[in-house]
Structure formats: structure tokens, C-alpha cells
Amino acid sequence: MSIVGLHHPGTSLLHRTPAGVKLVAIALAIVALTLWIRQPWQVLPCAVVVAGMYAFARIPVRLAVTQLRPLLWMLGIIAVFQVIVAGWERAVVICGALFLAIALALLVTLTTRMTDMLDAIVAGVRPLRRLGVDPDRVGLVLVMTIRCIPLLGSMVARVTEARKARGLGFSLRALVVPVVVGALMTAEAMGEALAARGVDD
């Protein structure tokens, strides 16, 4: 199973860059990416740049593929919906930009220790404490969100494999309903675990 947030040790420049700098840079890069991609052909040069960044960080191809593979099911569902509603060109633009944005976010998690990322997020949010924002809670929510992405992907994969094992054809309802139910049950279990540790108010 893919584990988003799994740190891959290394000595590249991306590994040595402070977590706060990487988080700001990745946010700006994702905004620029979504603003620039307006035509299907524009996805390709952006993909080349992102692939080059993975190579520069010396991330193994197998590891990158393992991290990104669970996202393909979700992107496939989005693509089908976009093709029906807005056409294939719009589907390529939206899914391409989303895939590359997630790939960039994954690159940050692969080259950054989770503790460093959490410290950077908490430090960045700390000035908002005067407005009633709890920096530690914000950091916890973001880290949990990152950790839950592969969990959702594995749910989709398990449901798909179970459907194939039963010889059933593709059904959007048969895919979405078990995934949603499983996600809600997991969220409830996480909530109970956090409450047991005194995280709730």
C-alpha cells in the first residue's frame, strides 16, 4: 500500500531545503500550475518539469509510481464525469493539473520528514493564535489529511479487486458506496481514538 508522507532519505538539494521554504514554494507552484494549464497540450511540458524534479531529488521510479498509483482510480472517476459534462479536453486539463499538483505535494512529503513539516506548519500558523487559531490542532489536521490520502486510495483498490473477484462489471454505485461507507467508518474510528487521547474539546 502506498503511504503518502513516507520520507525517502537523501542528500539532494530538495532534501536539504527547509520544510517551510518547500511548503511555500509548493503552494506557489501549484497555484501557477493551475493558472497556466488551460489547454490539454500544456499538461505535457508541466509533466516533464515535475518528472525532472523527481529525478533531481533522486526519487526511485518504483517508489514514485507506488505513491501515485492509488490516485489513478479517483482521477479516473473525475475524468469520466468531466468527459460527460464538459468534454475530453476539459477532462485532460482538470485531471492533468490535479495529478501534477498531487505529484508535487508528494515530492515534498518524500523529501521532508513529517516532524519537520509539522513544525513548519505550526510555526507558520502560530501568529494566528491571537485570532483563536490553535496551531497544534491545525498541524494535526493537515498531517492526518496527508496520511488519509493513501488510505482512501487503498479502499478504492480493495473494492475494485473485490468486484473483479466476483466477476462483476464496472458500476459507479458499487464502487462509490463501499468506499464512502468505509471512509466514514474510518473517520469515526479516528475520532474515537483522538477523543481517547484527549484531543477533543
Side-chain angles (χ1 to χ4, degrees), residues 5-75:
L6 177 66
H7 174 62
H8 179 72
T11 58
S12 70
L13 180 60
L14 282 176
H15 283 86
R16 298 195 305 269
T17 302
V21 174
K22 280 189 281 191
L23 289 174
V24 173
I26 202 65
L28 294 176
I30 291 175
V31 170
L33 188 70
T34 55
L35 292 177
W36 190 74
I37 296 180
R38 288 292 180 266
Q39 299 296 329
W41 67 268
Q42 294 173 326
V43 175
L44 182 58
C46 292
V48 172
V49 173
V50 173
M53 295 177 66
Y54 270 80
F56 179 74
R58 300 186 183 93
I59 302 299
V61 175
R62 171 177 281 185
L63 177 59
V65 172
T66 301
Q67 293 286 300
L68 294 169
R69 184 185 299 149
L71 303 172
L72 297 179
W73 296 106
M74 291 178 281
L75 291 175

Side-chain angles (χ1 to χ4, degrees), residues 4 9 18-19 31-33 38 43 48 54 60 82 93-94 98 103 107 116 119 124 129-130 149-150 160 176:
V4 176
V31 170
L33 188 70
R38 288 292 180 266
V43 175
V48 172
Y54 270 80
Q82 288 296 325
V93 169
I94 291 179
L98 182 59
L107 181 59
D116 295 338
D119 290 342
R129 187 186 293 275
R130 298 177 181 177
I149 292 175
T160 302
V176 173

Side-chain angles (χ1 to χ4, degrees), residues 1-9 54 63 66-68 71 102-118 142-151:
M1 183 182 69
S2 171
I3 304 178
V4 176
L6 177 66
H7 174 62
H8 179 72
Y54 270 80
L63 177 59
T66 301
Q67 293 286 300
L68 294 169
L71 303 172
I102 294 174
L104 286 173
L106 285 173
L107 181 59
V108 172
T109 65
L110 286 169
T111 58
T112 312
R113 292 184 178 85
M114 186 58 66
T115 53
D116 295 338
M117 190 181 302
L118 180 58
L142 290 177
V143 170
M144 289 184 63
T145 300
I146 293 173
R147 290 296 191 182
C148 285
I149 292 175
L151 181 61

